[in-house]
Amino acid sequence: MIANNIVALRNRIQKKCSECGRNVNEIKLIAVSKYFGIDAINQAIDAGISDFGENKAQELNLKFEKIGSKVTWHFIGNLQMNKVKYAVNCAEIIHSVDSFELAEEIAKKAEVIGKVQKILVQVKTSGEETKSGAGSEVEVRNILEFCKLSKNINTLGLMTMAPLTENEILIRKSFRDLKNLLIKFNSEGYQLHELSMGMTSDFEIAIEEGSTMLRIGSAIFGERDYSKKWNEL
């Protein structure tokens, strides 16, 4: 099932890229494997997936222990300060840096292990209080400026989550606002090139609006069974 899902998903991504004149090779597909077990991840690996996203730092750490660095791990969830060490130890890219304080802690933990941590700054473009992310240009700029001066952080770009709605206009605005913000910061001398935006329900709109990283879970793995722990699956 997982292999078939990946084929169907890649076909949809290719079709959308063709429709809007984009090169499919500009877009990285990240399989969001939270709450899914090692067997499901291995099936995705066998089907050609090389990038996996996790939302919980300790779950990422345990899966990293089992699978290791034969794949690229992305941390995409809300990162608590006391869990930063797990994300820095395992993740190639942390997508969810949403505060100056979190950036500072990531830099400290990366320095301890001699790592330059790749990050994305998470921006709240949806206006929803339940969403994480820096809420203003000033906040984003402060994070970017700190990271620019840190020898242990490499800022690749920006990340957002669209509002939970079927209103395509609002979803598109959320993605477009992030891209416009990236363009603005690049005009000020920041060198940002990644836009992490788009999930199972809205990735085609995200492609149209310039996404370079898609974070897709259920279209690959199916619906999650929240009644079980991932290591029981």
Side-chain angles (χ1 to χ4, degrees):
M1 181 191 78
I2 289 175
N4 290 339
N5 288 347
I6 291 169
V7 170
L9 176 61
R10 289 197 185 280
N11 286 340
R12 287 175 65 188
I13 292 170
Q14 178 63 69
K15 181 174 183 290
K16 179 52 63 177
C17 285
S18 297
E19 289 173 355
C20 62
R22 293 196 60 194
N23 183 344
V24 72
N25 294 322
E26 298 172 352
I27 299 171
K28 185 178 295 295
L29 174 58
I30 301 166
V32 180
S33 48
K34 67 174 182 178
Y35 294 112
F36 287 101
I38 300 301
D39 179 64
I41 293 173
N42 281 329
Q43 288 183 53
I45 293 171
D46 290 344
I49 297 292
S50 58
D51 291 79
F52 290 84
E54 288 289 335
N55 286 61
K56 295 183 180 297
Q58 286 174 294
E59 185 176 338
L60 167 61
N61 187 64
L62 292 169
K63 288 178 177 177
F64 183 82
E65 288 178 356
K66 292 179 179 293
I67 295 175
S69 55
K70 68 179 181 180
V71 301
T72 299
W73 295 99
H74 301 249
F75 187 80
I76 62 174
N78 182 40
L79 183 55
Q80 299 172 356
M81 298 286 277
N82 64 344
K83 303 293 175 60
V84 167
K85 63 180 179 181
Y86 297 115
V88 170
N89 283 339
C90 307
E92 177 77 12
I93 304 172
I94 298 173
H95 290 229
S96 48
V97 180
D98 60 358
S99 71
F100 183 91
E101 293 77 15
L102 181 57
E104 280 188 311
E105 186 64 17
I106 289 170
K108 289 176 185 176
K109 292 296 188 284
E111 184 176 19
V112 168
I113 63 172
K115 180 181 183 181
V116 177
Q117 179 65 60
K118 297 174 184 175
I119 68 134
L120 303 170
V121 178
Q122 183 174 356
V123 184
K124 185 189 295 188
T125 59
S126 68
E128 293 175 304
E129 290 187 8
T130 54
K131 292 284 196 301
S132 299
S136 70
E137 283 188 29
V138 172
E139 287 181 74
V140 177
R141 186 176 285 104
N142 286 342
I143 298 168
L144 290 174
E145 196 59 29
F146 169 78
C147 294
K148 186 178 180 180
L149 298 174
S150 171
K151 66 180 186 299
N152 293 102
I153 292 183
N154 177 16
T155 308
L156 303 182
L158 306 176
M159 182 270 250
T160 199
M161 296 177 66
L164 187 61
T165 177
E166 295 182 2
N167 188 325
E168 184 178 316
I169 294 173
L170 295 178
I171 295 170
R172 190 177 300 280
K173 180 181 185 302
S174 178
F175 293 151
R176 189 166 292 175
D177 285 350
L178 191 74
K179 182 175 183 179
N180 288 339
L181 196 61
L182 180 139
I183 292 169
K184 179 173 183 176
F185 282 125
N186 282 347
S187 73
E188 297 175 9
Y190 298 98
Q191 297 180 344
L192 309 174
H193 54 273
E194 300 287 1
L195 286 169
S196 173
M197 55 191 197
M199 299 165 68
T200 293
S201 62
D202 54 28
F203 73 86
E204 286 160 317
I205 300 173
I207 290 171
E208 291 174 348
E209 295 302 327
S211 176
T212 64
M213 292 179 167
L214 304 175
R215 311 182 306 272
I216 298 182
S218 57
I220 292 174
F221 296 107
E223 295 302 317
R224 293 176 176 83
D225 183 353
Y226 291 102
S227 68
K228 296 181 179 180
K229 296 181 180 179
W230 69 269
N231 52 6
E232 296 175 344
L233 299 172

